């Protein structure tokens, strides 16, 4: 019985990657999650492994414009898709933080920081679709992100101030 392998293409932070999917050494197994591919193969470690059940949001990345739990997404199902991780928000040449990342840092919108990458990615996905969300819309977008340090209150204040600043700059 001959085993077949499939080739997939995935763009991560603007860079294309090709992977063989199969059960042979070096291949992505059909059961490999996007989180495993990002962390173990591409060494992009901002997305955190926490619950491994899609309930905490620590592994959130943006997949074709939507915030997704990378621990619940199979890499093999991502053929032709585009992924943005927290590392992909910073300027690729200078390493300068994105405006949203800078807002989080300037306002200490985190405590231990473990959940922060997922929260930033969920927020970024919302802002890509809705650059002027209401507080209720932001709260809904972050409903899949769990923070044990209870820094959500500072996150909400920071993002709403960030949105207001952008709104003022455009006016």
């Amino acid at each position: 019985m001959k085993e077949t392998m499939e080739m997939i293409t995935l763009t991560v932070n603007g860079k294309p990657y090709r992977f063989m999917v199969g059960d042979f050494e070096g291949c992505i197994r059909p059961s490999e999650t996007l989180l495993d591919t990002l962390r173990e193969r591409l060494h992009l470690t901002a997305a955190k492994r926490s619950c491994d059940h899609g309930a905490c949001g620590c592994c959130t990345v943006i997949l074709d414009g939507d915030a997704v739990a990378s621990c619940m997404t199979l890499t093999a199902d991502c053929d032709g898709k585009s992924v943005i991780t927290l590392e992909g928000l910073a300027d690729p040449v200078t390493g300068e933080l994105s405006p949203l990342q800078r807002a989080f840092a300037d306002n200490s919108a985190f405590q231990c920081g473990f959940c922060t990458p997922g929260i930033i990615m969920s927020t970024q996905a919302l802002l890509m679709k809705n650059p002027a969300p209401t507080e209720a819309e932001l709260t809904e977008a972050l409903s899949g992100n769990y923070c044990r340090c209870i820094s959500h209150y500072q996150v909400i204040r920071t993002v709403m101030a960030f949105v207001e600043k952008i709104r003022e700059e455009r006016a």
Side-chain angles (χ1 to χ4, degrees), residues 46-82:
K48 303 296 185 232
R49 180 177 313 284
S50 185
C51 74
D52 250 353
H53 296 291
C56 71
C58 290
C59 68
T60 301
V61 298
I62 300 173
L63 181 66
D64 282 351
D66 294 319
V68 300
S70 62
C71 73
M72 299 299 293
T73 304
L74 297 177
T75 303
D77 291 341
C78 295
D79 186 32
K81 297 187 185 264
S82 176

Side-chain angles (χ1 to χ4, degrees), residues 143-158:
S143 65
N145 296 87
Y146 180 68
C147 174
R148 293 181 178 158
C149 302
I150 312 175
S151 64
H152 273 82
Y153 303 109
Q154 186 61 22
V155 167
I156 300 291
R157 285 191 294 271
T158 295

Side-chain angles (χ1 to χ4, degrees), residues 30-156:
S31 61
E32 184 172 314
T33 66
L34 182 57
L35 178 62
D36 288 328
T37 301
L38 294 171
R39 292 184 62 82
E40 305 303 324
R41 294 181 187 273
L42 302 181
H43 308 291
L44 298 170
T45 57
K48 303 296 185 232
R49 180 177 313 284
S50 185
C51 74
D52 250 353
H53 296 291
C56 71
C58 290
C59 68
T60 301
V61 298
I62 300 173
L63 181 66
D64 282 351
D66 294 319
V68 300
S70 62
C71 73
M72 299 299 293
T73 304
L74 297 177
T75 303
D77 291 341
C78 295
D79 186 32
K81 297 187 185 264
S82 176
V83 177
I84 303 171
T85 68
L86 184 71
E87 293 93 341
L89 296 183
D91 184 289
V93 175
T94 66
E96 185 176 325
L97 297 178
S98 73
L100 181 60
Q101 289 172 301
R102 174 60 40 215
F104 269 71
D106 289 348
N107 294 290
S108 299
F110 51 86
Q111 286 184 32
C112 80
F114 192 80
C115 65
T116 306
I119 290 173
I120 290 174
M121 296 312 292
S122 292
T123 303
Q124 183 66 48
L126 170 66
L127 295 175
M128 288 166 61
K129 292 178 180 183
N130 179 1
T134 65
E135 188 171 324
E137 291 168 329
L138 174 60
T139 301
E140 175 64 27
L142 294 176
S143 65
N145 296 87
Y146 180 68
C147 174
R148 293 181 178 158
C149 302
I150 312 175
S151 64
H152 273 82
Y153 303 109
Q154 186 61 22
V155 167
I156 300 291

